[in-house]
């Protein structure tokens, strides 16, 4: 793999970042602060990811080129599919570009077809919007179940596989990421697919490790904003410091 200098790598990672605020007490002021951070001295992030209730508010405020993502069926991955479909359609009507959907991961072990069918229905509701299927890999635990979940989501029509909500004790891990990437590599649909590690990514080195893994599995040059996203917000300060050759912050957010 071609060696890159850290400054260039940090700037590339910023361009792949889904800057996120999914705190329960998130306010319009917090959304404003998130939007302000989306345009950095080293380029814009790929997207902001916020609660559906803020989508219409945020839409006209976004910097040019920044996508607007929101979450549905979040974070528990419940099974009321009609409510999820309605939530998806409402978010798109409000201006969302991307839907991050928590699959019915509790059904994966005994009925993966159930999860796949629900992904299919949400994708139909999403239409041309990007659908990122959140597998909650830290709760599946067994690597075999992680693979089953990945295949089920892809069979349902998901455009991205996303590791985690960031709301569970175990979020993104490199072993789970490798399974998701290999599932994408082996998919025979011919569709353009993507990967999003999310939760617990706190440093430039951790973000780079996921990008490097993606290019190891998928091929050099694969990890661009159209196929690779980082679900993190606390990592932005560290990426900005590396990109600017500045002193790096010691305290990093958990998400």
């Amino acid at each position: 793999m071609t060696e890159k200098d850290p400054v260039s790598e940090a700037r590339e990672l910023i361009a792949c970042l889904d800057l996120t605020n999914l705190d329960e007490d998130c306010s319009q002021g917090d959304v404003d602060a998130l939007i302000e951070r989306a345009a950095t001295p080293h380029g814009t992030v790929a997207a902001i990811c916020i609660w559906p209730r803020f989508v219409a508010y945020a839409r006209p405020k976004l910097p040019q080129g920044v996508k607007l993502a929101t979450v549905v069926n979040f974070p528990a991955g419940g099974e009321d599919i009609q409510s999820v479909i309605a939530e998806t359609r409402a978010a798109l009507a409000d201006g969302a570009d991307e839907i991050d959907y928590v699959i019915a991961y509790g059904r994966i072990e005994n009925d993966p077809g159930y999860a796949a069918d629900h992904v299919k229905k949400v994708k139909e509701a999403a239409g041309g919007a990007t659908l990122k299927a959140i597998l909650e890999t830290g709760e599946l635990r067994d690597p075999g179940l992680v693979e089953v979940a990945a295949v089920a989501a892809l069979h349902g029509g998901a455009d991205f596989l996303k590791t985690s909500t960031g709301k569970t004790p175990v979020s993104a891990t490199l072993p789970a990421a490798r399974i998701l990437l290999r599932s994408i590599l082996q998919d025979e649909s011919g569709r353009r697919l993507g990967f999003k590690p999310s939760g617990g990514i706190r440093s430039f080195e951790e973000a780079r490790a996921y990008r490097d893994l993606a290019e190891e599995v998928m091929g050099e040059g694969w990890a661009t904003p159209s196929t690779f996203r980082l679900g993190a917000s606390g990592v932005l300060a560290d990426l900005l410091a590396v990109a600017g050759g500045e002193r790096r912050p010691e305290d990093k957010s958990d998400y």
Side-chain angles (χ1 to χ4, degrees):
M1 186 176 294
T2 304
E3 290 290 332
K4 297 180 181 178
D5 69 278
V7 169
S8 296
E9 289 184 306
R11 290 175 178 173
E12 290 174 359
L13 291 167
I14 289 168
C16 294
L17 185 63
D18 281 5
L19 195 61
T20 302
N21 189 327
L22 295 170
D23 294 339
E24 293 293 339
D25 60 353
C26 182
S27 67
Q28 285 189 353
D30 295 324
V31 173
D32 285 335
L34 198 72
I35 292 170
E36 186 174 351
R37 294 173 67 206
T40 84
H42 305 289
T44 58
V45 301
I48 67 164
C49 186
I50 54 177
W51 291 108
R53 63 182 181 268
F54 296 118
V55 168
Y57 174 78
R59 177 75 269 172
K61 296 173 174 283
L62 282 181
Q64 186 173 2
V66 176
K67 301 288 188 181
L68 180 50
T70 194
V71 292
V72 299
N73 209 30
F74 188 94
E79 301 172 6
D80 184 359
I81 189 61
Q82 293 307 316
S83 294
V84 177
I85 289 170
E87 190 175 28
T88 300
R89 288 174 175 163
L92 295 172
D94 283 345
D97 300 302
E98 303 178 347
I99 301 294
D100 288 28
Y101 159 66
V102 184
I103 72 167
Y105 61 87
R107 300 287 290 262
I108 287 297
E109 184 169 9
N110 296 317
D111 191 4
Y114 179 93
D117 181 61
H118 278 200
V119 173
K120 181 179 179 181
K121 290 175 179 176
V122 177
K123 178 57 182 173
E124 288 172 351
T130 297
L131 179 65
K132 307 189 199 97
I134 306 173
L135 309 186
E136 205 65 287
T137 55
E139 292 295 287
L140 294 173
R141 296 183 175 87
D142 182 345
L145 289 181
V146 174
E147 182 176 4
V148 170
V151 171
L154 292 174
H155 282 176
D159 301 299
F160 266 68
L161 296 182
K162 178 177 173 181
T163 59
S164 325
T165 61
K167 302 292 186 180
T168 55
V170 178
S171 292
T173 65
L174 288 169
R178 184 178 292 274
I179 294 170
L180 270 55
L181 286 161
R182 289 191 62 82
S183 298
I184 291 169
L185 181 66
Q186 294 165 5
D187 182 81
E188 297 180 349
S189 67
R191 296 184 300 121
R192 186 180 183 88
L193 302 171
F195 166 64
K196 179 178 174 179
S198 179
I201 302 168
R202 303 180 182 92
S203 70
F204 163 70
E205 288 80 9
E206 290 171 332
R208 180 175 60 182
Y210 283 102
R211 193 282 313 276
D212 288 351
L213 176 62
E215 299 217 330
E216 174 194 327
V217 175
M218 302 301 298
E220 187 170 353
W222 181 83
T224 68
S226 65
T227 54
F228 178 76
R229 299 287 182 84
L230 291 161
S233 286
V235 74
L236 179 59
D238 202 38
L239 294 179
L240 289 172
V242 174
E246 302 166 358
R247 182 175 179 178
R248 298 168 65 184
E250 295 180 4
D251 182 28
K252 302 180 179 70
S253 170
D254 286 342
Y255 187 80

